[in-house]
């Protein structure tokens, strides 16, 4: 009898699950909706528009229905965080129904295609987990001659023991994103809270800066970023937080475009850093273009970063971690880079995110794996 | 001779000042531009659009020029922070050239029409001023059955003396905004840093929550908000920060719609609060509509908040501050409310923001004035 009563209830639950508003929708907004097969249904009211196109990975033409409501259902999507945009007559617009995230060099719409609960647990807040703090910190950069903002994560318990000092990870976003990316898209704070609570990662401070930096009157440059980070940000953080201010307790990591910046810091300043992480980003040697073999060429590799890879023994002794990761759907380049370095004798850890591409789920998983190896002798 | 050389230089400076990209434009975006007379010039590329309208206070039709570039220059604007929107063929869109702010119940475009430097100094960061911290804090509300985020400001020096305890201001945004408003639009952290550095305000903790709260399955309600604040947020803050956890050291303030919420807390829970601030918001008695005289009616006033205004002597003894403010361009309603309460004998402080309307500059100035009077016996 119980079973018969239960059956329609289960059905209701299944129906309720089958179509679900995206978690980034504003209060009361029903669309976009994530369907059970991971396709996404979009609705957008534009009575006077002659064409509306959705871009989610690829373009989808939307169909006009009653009262100027345009609609489309996409192909099934891979799980994770994806930017999307709408085009009205060729013009890109932000969906007014949802939260915006700074990405693709502007404020962008996005959806989260949920994983199953157990896979998503590592970046899901839990009531029983003590929470670290994320602070928005203004600082004036003389290098860039501007006020800038960084995000600083301090682990739970940071204020319980005023004598305890912590290692620091400098963590960079990707191209077209900014210092907010690792918190809002990446959920770095939740990932770290959970890892630390489970004893899987060392409690650490994480410092997130915008990778865009320029000398006054110039364009953004990697040089200005490096100068700002090494001459201003690191001393600022060491002066203001209870850090262990030596190379053994300082690491850099970054994703995509920010992976290059992390390598520039960690491999370019061995006196400051002892660990590097590059998520979905190659170590750039010389000018990066398709005709330059770069890191895959032994001669260039030996010349990279003032010859950091030349003395294999010294590198393996000096660097506690070189972590290389990629999404499985991104291809084999980074796997090959890891292998090539290993063949040279350069110790490194390779991580591949199952089924994901050049996207935030790859990088959440990368941080999750990287952080567990960091600052452990 | 010197003067003759100086003249063209001055001219250059004047020209450079004459048109200036809005400070919220993304890197490299030249429009919107603020002109010297405080009019604003917008440009927006939409080659296939048949009409583009700008709304900044009122609608302005934009004119199509070469290569589908639409342009318009508005009337001179009052100084301060203003939301704006673009309409393409009647459809509201967010300007992709700029930062977005949560306001008007969605992520919105905005400009800041700058004041002169000395008037703007109180909300401008200064290198010589020690900086408090703004943290983004997640917490789980059982009342709402959801994870929520609040912003918590702790003053500079909070971590220098582990025994010092601080008073707390609960500060609410306006309708259609959220917990980010007081930081990103209001610059509350900068205002407080500057005030505290100058010795003009007591160092205090400021807690900013989203005013939208609902019991599971219900719509947003003031009741759910009150319950969440008094039963969950206040104990959470008192448990986690070094507060002085008594009514004498707890205040509430809010703007517009949030002013009602601040009054609901501060006047509705005299056992918890001893000071109230309402910026551009009336004390609501009974149902708020144009036919209800509400607070202006003596009988209703005496009944408000369980008769809090009945015993004038007790009120004046119990409440250290009742602060009422408005923008000069908002009309005389709040001035009249202040006068009416004063006629009853209810002590209150009235502040009027010169030349401003129902907008963030009114509220920045209100906080600046309110905070100086708060927690001072």
């Amino acid at each position: 009898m119980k079973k018969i009563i239960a059956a329609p209830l289960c059905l209701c639950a299944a129906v309720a699950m089958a179509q679900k508003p995206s978690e980034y929708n504003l209060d009361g907004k029903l669309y976009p909706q994530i369907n059970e097969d991971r396709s996404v249904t979009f609705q957008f009211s534009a009575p006077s528009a002659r064409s509306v196109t959705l871009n989610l990975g690829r373009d989808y033409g939307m169909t006009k229905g009653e009262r100027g409501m345009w609609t489309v259902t996409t192909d099934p999507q891979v799980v994770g965080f994806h930017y999307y945009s709408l085009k009205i007559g060729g013009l890109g617009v932000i969906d007014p129904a949802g939260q915006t995230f700074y990405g693709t060099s502007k404020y962008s719409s996005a959806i989260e295609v949920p994983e199953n609960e157990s896979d998503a647990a590592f970046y899901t807040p839990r009531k029983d987990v003590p929470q670290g703090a994320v602070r928005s910190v203004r600082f004036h950069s003389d290098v860039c001659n501007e006020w800038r903002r960084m995000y600083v994560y301090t682990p739970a318990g940071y204020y319980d023991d005023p004598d305890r000092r912590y290692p620091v990870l400098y963590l960079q976003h990707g191209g077209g994103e900014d210092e907010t990316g690792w918190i809002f898209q990446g959920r770095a704070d939740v990932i770290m809270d959970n890892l630390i609570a489970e004893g899987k990662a060392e409690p650490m401070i994480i410092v997130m800066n915008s990778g865009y930096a320029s000398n006054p009157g110039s364009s953004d440059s990697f040089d200005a970023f490096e100068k700002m980070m090494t001459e201003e940000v690191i001393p600022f953080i060491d002066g203001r937080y209870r850090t262990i201010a030596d190379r053994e307790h300082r690491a850099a990591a970054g994703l995509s475009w920010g992976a290059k910046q992390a390598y520039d810091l960690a491999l370019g300043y061995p006196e400051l850093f002892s660990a590097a992480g590059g998520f979905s980003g190659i170590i750039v040697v010389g000018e990066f273009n398709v005709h330059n073999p770069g890191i895959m060429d032994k001669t260039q590799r030996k010349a990279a970063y003032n010859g950091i890879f030349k003395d294999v023994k010294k590198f393996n002794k000096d660097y506690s971690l070189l972590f290389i990761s990629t999404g499985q759907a991104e291809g084999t380049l980074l796997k090959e880079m890891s292998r090539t370095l290993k063949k040279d004798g350069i110790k490194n850890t390779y991580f591949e995110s199952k089924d994901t591409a050049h996207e935030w789920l790859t990088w959440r998983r990368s941080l999750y794996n990287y952080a567990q190896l960091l600052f452990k002798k």
Side-chain angles (χ1 to χ4, degrees), chain A:
Chain A
M1 195 59 193
K2 220 174 176 183
K3 251 192 167 163
I4 294 167
I5 295 171
L9 287 176
C10 288
L11 193 64
C12 288
V15 169
M17 267 191 60
Q19 261 205 337
K20 214 173 131 174
S22 161
E23 67 174 285
Y24 301 134
N25 290 2
L26 300 183
D27 255 15
K29 301 290 179 189
L30 297 176
Y31 291 89
Q33 292 206 342
I34 320 288
N35 305 312
E36 204 172 14
D37 66 352
R38 292 186 184 144
S39 64
V40 186
T41 301
F42 289 83
Q43 272 202 1
F44 188 62
S45 169
S48 67
R50 281 181 293 179
S51 76
V52 179
T53 306
L54 165 82
N55 184 286
L56 175 63
R58 69 170 181 85
D59 279 348
Y60 296 89
M62 296 182 78
T63 308
K64 194 171 186 173
E66 275 175 40
R67 289 189 300 271
M69 190 63 82
W70 296 77
T71 186
V72 73
T73 294
T74 68
D75 301 328
Q77 301 293 308
V78 295
V79 292
F81 180 100
H82 312 292
Y83 297 113
Y84 72 89
S85 64
L86 294 163
K87 278 188 183 154
I88 307 174
L91 180 78
V93 301
I94 301 165
D95 190 346
Q99 192 178 339
T100 63
F101 298 86
Y102 190 75
T104 68
S105 299
K106 62 180 191 306
Y107 287 80
S108 291
S109 306
I111 51 158
E112 176 90 20
V113 179
E115 296 190 274
N116 66 58
E117 260 183 48
S118 67
D119 288 340
F122 80 89
Y123 55 87
T124 303
R126 293 207 319 251
K127 285 197 213 181
D128 61 331
V129 164
Q131 200 183 122
V134 177
R135 301 156 158 226
S136 163
V137 178
R138 291 188 310 279
F139 88 105
H140 191 276
S141 164
D142 293 333
V143 169
C144 306
N145 192 28
E146 64 180 2
W147 283 96
R148 298 174 60 98
R149 189 175 62 156
M150 61 177 105
Y151 276 30
V152 179
Y153 168 86
T154 49
Y158 181 81
Y159 298 107
D160 297 344
D161 177 355
D163 295 322
R164 180 164 178 184
R165 306 187 77 87
Y166 294 85
V168 186
L169 167 62
Y170 291 85
L171 187 60
Q172 290 302 126
H173 60 83
E177 296 167 340
D178 69 9
E179 73 279 8
T180 63
W182 269 107
I183 300 301
F184 293 102
Q185 289 96 308
R187 309 188 185 188
D189 52 334
V190 186
I191 294 170
M192 295 307 300
D193 286 351
N194 289 345
L195 276 176
I196 293 168
E198 290 168 12
K200 287 183 180 166
E202 280 297 301
M204 64 184 82
I205 295 167
I206 302 184
V207 179
M208 293 152 277
N209 274 273
S210 167
Y212 292 95
S214 62
N215 297 122
S218 300
S219 305
D220 289 320
S221 73
F222 289 121
D223 286 351
F225 173 76
E226 263 179 55
K227 196 173 160 67
M228 176 191 77
M229 291 298 290
T230 55
E231 295 180 12
E232 295 182 327
V233 173
I234 292 174
F236 177 90
I237 292 295
D238 285 337
R240 179 176 287 244
Y241 296 90
R242 295 195 315 278
T243 64
I244 310 174
D246 60 27
R247 67 177 297 281
E248 282 72 25
H249 298 89
R250 199 180 287 123
L255 72 91
S256 189
W257 183 78
K260 171 176 163 47
Q261 297 184 314
Y263 287 132
D264 285 353
L265 292 174
L267 303 178
Y269 296 82
E271 71 280 16
L272 294 177
F273 293 90
S274 64
F279 313 154
S280 302
I282 196 165
I283 299 174
V284 178
V285 179
E287 204 189 326
F288 187 55
N289 68 54
V290 288
H291 306 295
N292 179 1
I295 186 79
M296 307 312 277
D297 173 82
K298 189 151 194 163
T299 311
Q300 288 198 45
R301 193 157 64 245
K302 296 289 177 200
Y305 294 114
N306 302 311
I308 195 99
F309 296 132
K310 250 191 211 161
D311 186 339
V312 170
K313 248 192 199 161
K314 182 168 162 52
F315 183 91
N316 291 340
K317 190 175 142 276
D318 285 353
Y319 282 84
S320 57
L321 182 61
L322 171 58
F323 182 94
I324 296 161
S325 78
T326 195
Q328 199 178 24
E330 291 190 82
T332 57
L333 180 63
L334 291 167
K335 192 178 204 167
E336 281 165 33
M337 180 175 85
S338 162
R339 270 194 201 146
T340 301
L341 287 167
K342 277 179 185 160
K343 268 188 209 160
D344 281 353
I346 300 289
K347 272 193 207 158
N348 68 81
T349 302
Y350 175 73
F351 166 72
E352 198 170 278
S353 168
K354 198 169 171 296
D355 289 338
T356 62
H358 201 73
E359 59 201 345
W360 274 100
L361 190 51
T362 300
W363 306 322
R364 289 181 194 158
R365 290 176 181 169
S366 293
L367 177 64
Y368 176 75
N369 283 277
Y370 176 65
Q372 296 185 53
L373 302 173
L374 208 50
F375 306 125
K376 294 194 170 163
K377 283 286 154 67

